[in-house]
Amino acid sequence: MDTSLISKLEASDSVGISSLFSHHLRSFSDLKNLKKTKKATSSKDEQSLARSLAKSFLPFLNTSLSIIPKRLAEPSKFGSEQLAVEFFDIYRLCLDCLESISSQLDCKPHTVQAQRVRMVHCLEAWARWKEAKEESLRILESVSSGAKSAKSKRSLLPVIGEGSADKSLGLLIVEIVVTLVKCASMDQSKGCEDFRRVLLLVEEARPWFRVLDANTYEKLHRVLVSHLGRCTLLIFGEFTIVDDDLARDFCFTTIGEHAKSITKDQIYKFARRLCSSLFALQDSRSALITDILIGVMDSLAHDGKVEIEINAMEFVELVAYCANKCQAKGPDICNAIGVHLNKIADDFNQVKTPFCLILRVYAKGLLFMHFKLKSRCNDRTSSGGVIKFLCDSADILKNLSCLLCSLGSYFHVGCQNSCASSSDDFKDAICLLCSPCISHNEARTRWNHKDGKAYLMSYLTALKYICLPLAELVNSEKKEIIIGSEAAAVSSQLSDIQVVLDQFCDVFTFSK
């Protein structure tokens, strides 16, 4: 073993060492040339030469491959950029030499590829993202071509075998997949093909994740989720990918992986950032915005991330944020999100908490905004002034009045029996709590649990959301409402608006 070269590897500054290594390992060129030969005797000669090279150079290669990654792992302590380039060249040369004699080694399958993964991590440490991506793809190609299970034409990863899977191979594959996702996010790739490849990799890696032990799974999946989220925000933020199908698929994949994450503390932070990016998109992409908002809310609500008494308040806060932002995006998105919030509330209706009722307040507020915005746009079906508008909104206002009666009863705040006059089936779903049998003490006990104050403040925020457009309507159109010839026709609606405004005042006073 050439100890002088090893000493240079360990030295703090060894510029020019790359050419010395190339000269020292020049004998491997003979093996490379022999592999290209198609003569019948070449295979036997190849094996003989490989054995000779292994005997002569294996200790040197092993020592070099032990030193190089340790030195490259800390860029701040390494030295010049030029020296790093040389070290990576040497790293690749040593790995190529090791791979060329791997048939003579008594080692586990994929040992050399595992060494290459270590080099990829060094490339990551130096933020050499393009090189890390290219090397990772080469590793996957090598692993896939040598795997027992054949790939499909579309696949990037080998298909996991039935029964017991190779855990070491699973770890290698998952590490490379996570690295490729990280490269896409950190290199800020603007190509649609890079993001499509990420989607395919994540899909194909799912069964390989399952062969990992719990700790390794959690560690690698957390990194995967983090960089998927970063990619998603890049797609909707800086790059604004125009392929809506790709953007939609990427978003749903990211949310789905977030939902499966063992650590759930980041999902609402990510959802808020995603929604913020969505609302920054142009109005012409309102269909995409609507689809993804609904998808995000469904995933949070139905994939086990809304747990009453644990994180329901976070969901309500996200809904409040979206409801306010929807107003600037037009009537259609208000209507779609309002209708869907009612569906989500239906799924939680059996839970005796204010959670689903507050969701319904926002749903009714959004549906009211739908009517109001269409009226402002002079839609033909909404013509006829404020009287016609109030007549069209009669069901929403009546159901809202009934809904607030239920919430008022829950908190024992200004409860009125206005819901008794509701003429549709809606009152049966939302007035379960509005009952004479709820005593003052029972109602007080119900909301006075650890989240009671938070629920009350969320209710106040929801009331403010619906009261602002109602107050604006009454103030701006009070002349027509008071002296209009058809004003008597909307007396019931005005009474319902009064109930809403009174409830806001009562809750505001009660919350002090």
Side-chain angles (χ1 to χ4, degrees), residues 168-450:
S168 61
L169 176 59
L171 176 59
L172 188 151
I173 288 173
V174 170
E175 278 195 83
I176 287 300
V177 168
V178 171
T179 295
L180 285 167
V181 176
K182 184 177 181 179
C183 288
S185 75
M186 299 304 294
D187 192 37
Q188 299 190 1
S189 171
K190 298 181 181 180
C192 289
E193 288 308 312
D194 285 336
F195 291 118
R196 288 193 181 94
R197 180 172 54 232
V198 165
L199 287 179
L200 185 56
L201 285 168
V202 172
E203 178 186 346
E204 294 181 6
R206 286 172 185 144
W208 288 106
F209 264 99
R210 290 194 286 270
V211 310
L212 306 179
D213 63 75
N215 290 336
T216 305
Y217 175 98
E218 181 179 354
K219 176 184 176 182
L220 291 173
H221 194 263
R222 187 189 303 117
V223 178
L224 176 74
V225 166
S226 173
H227 287 285
L228 276 176
R230 182 179 170 85
C231 286
T232 304
L233 295 176
L234 287 172
I235 287 173
F236 289 103
E238 297 178 34
F239 303 155
T240 316
I241 297 294
V242 295
D243 186 335
D244 283 0
D245 289 337
L246 172 60
R248 187 182 290 106
D249 290 345
F250 208 101
C251 178
F252 291 157
T253 295
T254 302
I255 286 292
E257 293 302 319
H258 262 287
K260 293 189 296 184
S261 178
I262 296 174
T263 54
K264 306 178 179 68
D265 56 327
Q266 296 298 313
I267 189 168
Y268 282 96
K269 292 180 182 178
F270 170 73
R272 176 67 174 260
R273 293 179 65 191
L274 173 60
C275 291
S276 176
S277 296
L278 288 172
F279 287 117
L281 295 177
Q282 296 178 353
D283 291 347
S284 60
R285 304 182 77 182
S286 60
L288 176 67
I289 297 171
T290 303
D291 286 350
I292 295 180
L293 285 176
I294 289 174
V296 169
M297 291 181 184
D298 270 346
S299 180
L300 292 174
H302 299 135
D303 290 344
K305 299 301 177 288
V306 172
E307 300 174 25
I308 304 302
E309 312 296 342
I310 297 179
N311 57 10
M313 293 308 306
E314 291 179 287
F315 188 83
V316 171
E317 288 170 5
L318 181 66
V319 168
Y321 173 79
C322 293
N324 280 286
K325 290 292 185 179
C326 282
Q327 298 179 57
K329 288 296 178 182
D332 292 340
I333 191 170
C334 288
N335 182 66
I337 302 302
V339 168
H340 201 76
L341 280 178
N342 268 330
K343 292 179 181 178
I344 293 175
D346 287 340
D347 295 336
F348 287 90
N349 199 54
Q350 72 278 10
V351 183
K352 302 299 189 292
T353 75
F355 172 71
C356 63
L357 301 179
I358 293 174
L359 291 188
R360 290 190 189 279
V361 174
Y362 282 109
K364 294 304 170 189
L366 283 163
L367 294 175
F368 181 79
M369 287 303 304
H370 163 70
F371 276 106
K372 188 172 185 292
L373 291 171
K374 290 196 74 172
S375 175
R376 183 181 296 173
C377 294
N378 296 319
D379 187 273
R380 286 180 299 175
T381 60
S382 300
S383 62
V386 67
I387 301 300
K388 177 66 164 57
F389 171 75
L390 288 173
C391 289
D392 290 342
S393 306
D395 288 342
I396 293 176
L397 292 171
K398 176 56 63 180
N399 291 336
L400 180 61
S401 176
C402 176
L403 176 61
L404 299 192
C405 180
S406 294
L407 277 158
S409 179
Y410 187 94
F411 293 110
H412 205 70
V413 179
C415 180
Q416 302 180 37
N417 290 325
S418 59
C419 58
S421 62
S422 182
S423 60
D424 56 37
D425 294 335
F426 179 75
K427 66 179 182 179
D428 295 328
I430 66 172
C431 294
L432 297 176
L433 297 176
C434 186
S435 170
C437 67
I438 300 179
S439 66
H440 175 86
N441 289 335
E442 183 181 358
R444 176 76 64 173
T445 300
R446 282 189 179 186
W447 75 267
N448 203 25
H449 53 77
K450 63 179 180 180

Side-chain angles (χ1 to χ4, degrees), residues 104-204:
Q104 306 302 311
L105 305 181
D106 183 17
C107 59
K108 295 180 180 179
H110 316 299
T111 295
V112 177
Q113 302 310 324
Q115 288 268 22
R116 290 191 183 277
V117 171
R118 195 177 183 190
M119 183 180 71
V120 168
H121 292 323
C122 291
L123 290 166
E124 291 180 71
W126 283 84
R128 302 170 80 93
W129 305 113
K130 285 185 172 60
E131 293 176 58
K133 179 185 75 173
E134 291 166 1
E135 188 63 39
S136 295
L137 291 172
R138 279 194 289 268
I139 294 171
L140 282 185
E141 182 61 33
S142 175
V143 169
S144 298
S145 62
K148 293 180 179 180
S149 300
K151 295 193 305 177
S152 68
K153 290 182 179 180
R154 182 171 176 264
S155 295
L156 294 170
L157 306 181
V159 179
I160 192 167
E162 295 183 5
S164 58
D166 185 342
K167 292 187 178 181
S168 61
L169 176 59
L171 176 59
L172 188 151
I173 288 173
V174 170
E175 278 195 83
I176 287 300
V177 168
V178 171
T179 295
L180 285 167
V181 176
K182 184 177 181 179
C183 288
S185 75
M186 299 304 294
D187 192 37
Q188 299 190 1
S189 171
K190 298 181 181 180
C192 289
E193 288 308 312
D194 285 336
F195 291 118
R196 288 193 181 94
R197 180 172 54 232
V198 165
L199 287 179
L200 185 56
L201 285 168
V202 172
E203 178 186 346
E204 294 181 6

